[in-house]
Amino acid sequence: MKTCGALLVLPCCCLAETQLTGDTISDNDITHQGHYGEAETRENEGDRTETAATVCNQQTCQPDIHTLLIEMSALVAEQRVELRYTKTQMDAIEARLRASEKTVEEQREQLKQLMSDNEGRKIAFAVSLEIDTNRYTGPFNTGATLVYKHVITNLGNLYNLHTGFFTAPVKGVYDFNFYVYGDGGPISIGAQLRRNRERLVTAYTGGDDHSINASNGVSLLLEVGDVVDIYLPANQRIIDNAHHHSTFRGHLLFQV
Ligand SMILES: *[C@@H]1O[C@H](CO)[C@@H](O)[C@H](O)[C@H]1NC(C)=O
């Protein structure tokens, strides 16, 4: 690098000197000396051409070359420092770029996870006991799970129309409600909501009114595979028909 710089400067120095002092130099001379930088004395060409050679002999050029070399070295050193600084900056930029690439990748993963979670969140059902027949269910000697027959909503078929059980596909908090309807008389109406066949909440009423009803609801933390059903206790009954009075519904509130 240093040698290169010096070689480049030499002809420039001589040329500059030549142009300043030798006011009557031919194009030929300039070209000649500009190329090689070596001062050549051409005796045959007379006073006018000699000027260039004299100006650019060793005595005249040396101090300037020295100064230039020192300046060049300083410049090179300075550029080296600048280059090092630039390299440091580039490294920092590259590191930042890598970090942001990583962040983008992480966010993409999170988004994918959220989207698949959202798929899992499409959990809701609403059913009623009868499709169109007006009839009592119960009373029975022993309690029994109510198997709701009429589907209003059943995303993912998570409410089983054959067994009467809802099965949680993901861990989360679920919301359930049930509504029982009947007519007055000696037999009370009621039902219980159960998790894994364990009674949690009850709806119950009785009386002589033409139409009686009761309801209840609960928010439940369910593990994957937990089951929820509505249980008709012994000696109670409920009515349903095409108006869908006796219903059971549930949906996932949020995953945990
Ligand atoms: C539900 O029961 C209440 C009394 O507990 C009664 O006032 C109301 O009319 C009933 N509704 C229906 C639709 O039976």
Side-chain angles (χ1 to χ4, degrees):
M1 192 76 177
K2 245 183 205 166
T3 323
C4 248
L7 281 177
L8 279 170
V9 170
L10 274 169
C12 293
C13 158
C14 289
L15 185 55
E17 287 282 329
T18 304
Q19 280 171 324
L20 280 171
T21 46
D23 41 4
T24 50
I25 304 162
S26 69
D27 280 356
N28 187 43
D29 284 319
I30 293 169
T31 311
H32 188 75
Q33 296 188 9
H35 271 301
Y36 302 105
E38 291 283 332
E40 285 179 29
T41 312
R42 292 180 219 174
E43 285 160 8
N44 294 339
E45 288 183 23
D47 286 354
R48 293 163 98 200
T49 49
E50 202 192 318
T51 319
T54 313
V55 166
C56 205
N57 65 23
Q58 291 224 319
Q59 281 82 29
T60 321
C61 278
Q62 199 100 7
D64 280 339
I65 290 167
H66 246 284
T67 313
L68 277 169
L69 276 175
I70 289 160
E71 280 172 11
M72 280 297 290
S73 314
L75 202 66
V76 166
E78 207 174 284
Q79 281 174 342
R80 200 172 286 162
V81 169
E82 249 172 63
L83 200 66
R84 214 171 291 153
Y85 176 65
T86 308
K87 197 181 172 313
T88 311
Q89 277 184 319
M90 292 284 284
D91 287 349
I93 289 167
E94 201 183 326
R96 243 184 288 163
L97 198 67
R98 279 230 186 88
S100 65
E101 272 173 358
K102 199 170 160 237
T103 310
V104 166
E105 193 51 42
E106 281 169 1
Q107 282 172 345
R108 195 172 291 154
E109 282 303 311
Q110 280 175 351
L111 193 66
K112 243 193 273 173
Q113 187 59 43
L114 277 175
M115 280 163 78
S116 73
D117 284 356
N118 198 39
E119 282 301 303
R121 280 202 184 95
K122 290 175 184 165
I123 298 165
F125 72 90
V127 290
S128 89
L129 207 50
E130 298 294 337
I131 294 168
D132 51 19
T133 314
N134 184 46
R135 70 173 152 215
Y136 292 106
T137 299
F140 303 125
N141 292 330
T142 55
T145 291
L146 288 170
V147 180
Y148 292 79
K149 300 179 193 74
H150 179 68
V151 173
I152 298 161
T153 305
N154 194 11
L155 299 182
N157 290 315
L158 295 166
Y159 180 77
N160 190 317
L161 293 164
H162 303 290
T163 63
F165 283 87
F166 167 80
T167 306
V170 293
K171 184 179 180 179
V173 174
Y174 293 75
D175 201 30
F176 296 99
N177 294 94
F178 62 106
Y179 189 95
V180 293
Y181 176 83
D183 54 7
I187 303 171
S188 55
I189 67 163
Q192 302 167 348
L193 184 141
R194 306 190 305 175
R195 174 177 55 194
N196 299 332
R197 296 180 174 79
E198 178 200 347
R199 188 184 73 229
L200 292 179
V201 296
T202 297
Y204 175 87
T205 194
D208 291 329
D209 286 349
H210 168 67
S211 83
I212 52 177
N213 58 81
S215 65
N216 213 333
V218 70
S219 293
L220 273 186
L221 173 62
L222 297 180
E223 301 289 335
V224 175
D226 278 357
V227 291
V228 172
D229 69 324
I230 302 298
Y231 184 78
L232 179 71
N235 305 316
Q236 292 180 23
R237 68 178 180 191
I238 63 175
I239 290 175
D240 199 31
N241 53 41
H243 293 287
H244 309 305
H245 295 283
S246 294
T247 56
F248 175 34
R249 71 182 188 102
H251 59 268
L252 176 66
L253 283 179
F254 52 86
Q255 282 185 266
V256 291

